[in-house]
Amino acid sequence: MNAEADFNTPGILLRRVEYGDNDLILNVITPDRGKMVLMAKAAKRSRRRFGGVLDLFAILDLSCRGSRRGRMTLLAEASLCESLNSLRTEVAKTAYASYWVELVHFWGEEGQPQPDLYALLYDVLMALDRDRLPARVLSLLFQLHFMNLAGLGPRLSACVGCRCPIGGLGDLQFGLDAARGGVICQRCDPKPRLTVSRGALKELAWIAAGGLARAQRMRFSSEALCAGEEMMESFIPFHLGREVRSLKFLRHLRESGALA
Ligand SMILES: [Zn+2]
């Protein structure tokens, strides 16, 4: 029988589904083992082993039983590193965190180490909980970096049609051509679905190239934030090739003014 050794790992809880009367199936992302599915037996009864910490978005220390071939890995114990409680109690934060976590859940294969993706999600969830940056800036940062890690980052510095650098195109407005993977100038697409100025594109390029510390030192225009949201929230589902369910909730809150 091939059995893997027991192991401990940090992990972020992406999804929890009840299984039978007492068990939970958990989807987590870890730094070194990537995404994993864990079975937490009797999770709903055992406060000793799980201490009531198996909440969505929580950052946990996980003690796992090595899996036997073909069997789900068992979670033996879990303890809390960071609860990130506000992500479950403040509806706007819940909406953003749910969106990011859904993207991570559906992107890539289980068991492939993704330390950069883990670090990105960890950083934005922590920053959202601690109010280090406005949620919409964090969401843009997450989406742009997420797509960069996936090798699908939108091209923001030159037109995907004529290939002219945006700096050389005067005061033209730009649109997004999701299929061609980036921005397109008004000459190449006279009637784009959304338009964005060169200045706003530069701000988005800064967010895409820098980390949280850099974003904290900057002030972003509302044009860049609005256009960036619209761009990325259509660009990502297009490239994932699927509907992103949590986006509906996010948009609903935005339209009702609850994200202001
Ligand atoms: Zn062009």
Side-chain angles (χ1 to χ4, degrees), residues 159 162 185 188:
C159 170
C162 60
C185 79
C188 294

Side-chain angles (χ1 to χ4, degrees), residues 11-15 27-31 34-35 56-59 82 84 87 93 96-106 114-129 132 138-139 141-143 145-146 149 212:
I12 302 172
L13 192 48
L14 304 175
R15 177 183 255 215
N27 291 86
V28 299
I29 182 167
T30 68
K35 291 189 296 177
L56 213 53
F57 317 128
I59 300 171
E82 300 286 347
L84 307 187
L87 306 191
K93 290 185 178 182
Y96 281 109
S98 300
Y99 175 45
W100 306 336
V101 157
E102 184 177 350
L103 295 185
V104 170
H105 178 61
F106 284 115
Q114 300 187 79
D116 293 339
L117 182 58
Y118 178 86
L120 173 64
L121 185 62
Y122 180 98
D123 286 348
V124 291
L125 291 176
M126 286 286 284
L128 183 65
D129 182 63
R132 289 189 186 134
L138 284 172
S139 195
L141 187 138
F142 175 80
Q143 292 174 91
H145 285 255
F146 174 80
L149 289 175
L212 277 173

Side-chain angles (χ1 to χ4, degrees), residues 93-245:
K93 290 185 178 182
T94 306
Y96 281 109
S98 300
Y99 175 45
W100 306 336
V101 157
E102 184 177 350
L103 295 185
V104 170
H105 178 61
F106 284 115
W107 180 258
E109 288 174 31
E110 277 171 33
Q112 300 290 323
Q114 300 187 79
D116 293 339
L117 182 58
Y118 178 86
L120 173 64
L121 185 62
Y122 180 98
D123 286 348
V124 291
L125 291 176
M126 286 286 284
L128 183 65
D129 182 63
R130 310 281 151 92
D131 297 310
R132 289 189 186 134
L133 271 166
R136 46 194 318 214
V137 175
L138 284 172
S139 195
L140 266 181
L141 187 138
F142 175 80
Q143 292 174 91
L144 287 160
H145 285 255
F146 174 80
M147 290 306 272
N148 282 343
L149 289 175
L152 294 167
R155 198 157 172 225
L156 301 171
S157 59
C159 170
V160 294
C162 60
R163 314 224 170 252
C164 290
I166 61 165
L169 287 169
D171 289 331
L172 287 185
Q173 291 280 311
F174 297 86
L176 178 72
D177 187 327
R180 285 199 268 182
V183 294
I184 188 154
C185 79
Q186 245 177 343
R187 284 188 317 209
C188 294
D189 182 0
K191 285 190 180 167
R193 199 177 58 80
L194 72 113
T195 57
V196 53
S197 71
R198 192 174 62 182
L201 283 177
K202 281 190 175 162
E203 292 181 55
L204 296 177
W206 285 329
I207 300 177
L212 277 173
R214 193 171 168 195
Q216 272 174 316
R217 293 195 299 271
M218 295 179 59
R219 286 272 167 273
F220 298 102
S221 67
S222 75
E223 189 212 344
L225 296 178
C226 291
E229 264 161 12
E230 204 177 334
M231 269 175 63
M232 294 311 293
E233 290 173 12
S234 62
F235 192 79
I236 289 179
F238 177 87
H239 283 282
L240 286 186
R242 61 175 298 141
E243 189 186 7
V244 182
R245 285 171 55 198

